[in-house]
């Protein structure tokens, strides 16, 4: 018996310039229920579920007022989306009519917000991290069947972005440890009705530009050496992580 909130309201008019005929409204054909998004009816009594099974075969879930086009609920909806063709006919000539598609989404079936896999996300990346690459990924699930989750990002610094379908967070601006060495951004997961948020903390690691340092600055060796024999081992260290050193001789006889 409740009126379905439809915005903008259903309205049709006769475009004839000389005579604007009055218009009446009706449903054009049967309702189509989205079979992929069936609503859980476990909370209903067995008697009412049996009544629904019988009634929905012979009676519509909604009806429409012929004069005001208000749509009212008649039966409990059995799907999350219902498609109805609305017909507006001229009173003086019913063969003249227009048709529009009305999609009704039952939001009451979506009662669970997405849940992220972690309470927060935290990572450390070097300041030379390449622009356009994935920094990390956030992931959320939804208990409501058929819910499609999309991701967005709240980043005041405009340094990061997120792929809405996968939750991959990418770097879109170059980093500088000197200018800013930490970021706190918010990832948002939405199922179209409800949303959840999670904090993402990004630390920027400095890359030191100091050259490698030799561990031994001088060596004393004896002269009795044949060609190709081992003389000494030269060792050096670098302050950067995971670096590979290459050795060469600049001047020699």
């Amino acid at each position: 018996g409740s009126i379905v909130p439809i915005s903008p309201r259903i309205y049709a008019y006769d475009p004839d310039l000389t005579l604007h005929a009055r218009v009446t409204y009706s449903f054009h054909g049967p309702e189509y229920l989205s079979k992929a998004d069936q609503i859980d009816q476990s909370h209903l009594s067995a008697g009412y579920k049996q009544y629904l099974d019988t009634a929905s075969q012979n009676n519509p879930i909604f009806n429409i007022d012929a004069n005001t086009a208000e749509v009212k609920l008649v039966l409990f909806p059995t799907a999350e989306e219902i498609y109805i063709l609305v017909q507006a006919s001229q009173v003086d000539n019913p063969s003249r009519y227009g048709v529009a598609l009305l999609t009704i989404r039952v939001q009451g079936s979506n009662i669970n917000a997405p849940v992220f896999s972690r309470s927060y996300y935290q990572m450390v990346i070097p300041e030379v991290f390449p622009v356009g690459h994935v920094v990390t990924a956030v992931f959320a699930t939804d208990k409501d069947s058929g819910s499609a989750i999309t991701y967005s990002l709240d980043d005041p610094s405009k340094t990061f972005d997120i792929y809405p379908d996968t939750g991959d967070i990418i770097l879109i601006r170059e980093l500088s440890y000197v200018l800013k060495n930490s970021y706190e951004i918010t990832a948002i997961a939405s199922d179209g009705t409800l949303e959840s948020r999670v904090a993402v903390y990004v630390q920027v690691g400095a890359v030191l530009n100091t050259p490698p340092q030799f561990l031994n600055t001088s060596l004393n060796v004896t002269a009795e050496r044949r060609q190709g024999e081992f003389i000494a081992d030269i060792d050096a260290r670098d302050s950067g992580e995971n670096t590979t050193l290459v050795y060469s001789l600049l001047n020699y006889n």
Side-chain angles (χ1 to χ4, degrees):
S2 59
I3 297 175
V4 179
I6 300 174
S7 179
R9 69 183 183 91
I10 298 173
Y11 174 73
Y13 68 96
D14 178 12
D16 290 333
L17 298 177
T18 55
L19 178 63
H20 294 285
R22 190 167 66 87
V23 174
T24 59
Y25 302 92
S26 61
F27 288 152
H28 183 91
E31 301 164 344
Y32 174 76
L33 308 182
S34 176
K35 300 300 182 183
D37 301 314
Q38 297 299 305
I39 290 179
D40 181 17
Q41 301 181 31
S42 58
H43 62 286
L44 302 178
S45 65
Y48 190 59
K49 282 192 288 185
Q50 183 178 3
Y51 163 72
L52 283 177
D53 293 338
T54 304
S56 60
Q57 297 176 6
N58 305 309
N59 300 290
I61 298 174
F62 302 94
N63 64 17
I64 187 168
D65 189 287
N67 298 313
T68 65
E70 286 184 340
V71 177
K72 289 186 177 181
L73 185 66
V74 179
L75 294 174
F76 180 83
T78 56
E80 293 182 358
E81 284 196 358
I82 302 165
Y83 310 101
I84 311 171
L85 288 177
V86 179
Q87 177 175 316
S89 307
Q90 290 185 196
V91 173
D92 59 349
N93 189 356
S95 63
R96 292 178 175 268
Y97 62 87
V99 175
L101 175 65
L102 171 63
T103 302
I104 297 178
R105 296 183 175 90
V106 185
Q107 294 184 342
S109 61
N110 185 3
I111 59 175
N112 296 292
V115 178
F116 281 99
S117 59
R118 299 180 183 179
S119 58
Y120 66 92
Y121 294 81
Q122 187 174 12
M123 71 288 307
V124 179
I125 58 176
E127 61 179 337
V128 294
F129 193 88
V131 172
H133 285 235
V134 176
V135 175
T136 188
V138 297
F139 179 72
T141 56
D142 197 315
K143 292 183 179 179
D144 297 316
S145 61
S147 295
I149 297 177
T150 56
Y151 300 92
S152 58
L153 203 64
D154 182 9
D155 177 21
S157 69
K158 308 298 182 184
T159 305
F160 303 91
D161 201 357
I162 193 169
Y163 288 111
D165 297 330
T166 64
D168 290 339
I169 297 177
I170 62 171
L171 180 68
I172 59 174
R173 290 178 55 185
E174 291 185 353
L175 300 172
S176 172
Y177 176 83
V178 176
L179 298 178
K180 188 175 179 64
N181 56 27
S182 65
Y183 295 85
E184 181 178 348
I185 56 182
T186 302
I188 305 165
S190 172
D191 60 10
T193 303
L194 304 173
E195 66 178 33
S196 299
R197 295 169 175 257
V198 69
V200 180
Y201 302 99
V202 181
Q203 296 289 330
V204 179
V207 175
L208 302 177
N209 294 321
T210 56
Q213 302 293 320
F214 282 102
L215 301 183
N216 40 10
T217 56
S218 64
L219 292 170
N220 295 319
V221 296
T222 59
E224 293 81 11
R225 289 291 186 272
R226 293 191 180 96
Q227 184 177 357
E229 285 188 342
F230 172 80
I231 296 178
D233 185 20
I234 309 296
D235 198 9
R237 291 289 184 271
D238 188 73
S239 57
E241 295 183 1
N242 300 322
T243 57
T244 300
L245 299 181
V246 177
Y247 299 87
S248 61
L249 293 175
L250 297 182
N251 296 297
Y252 64 96
N253 291 323

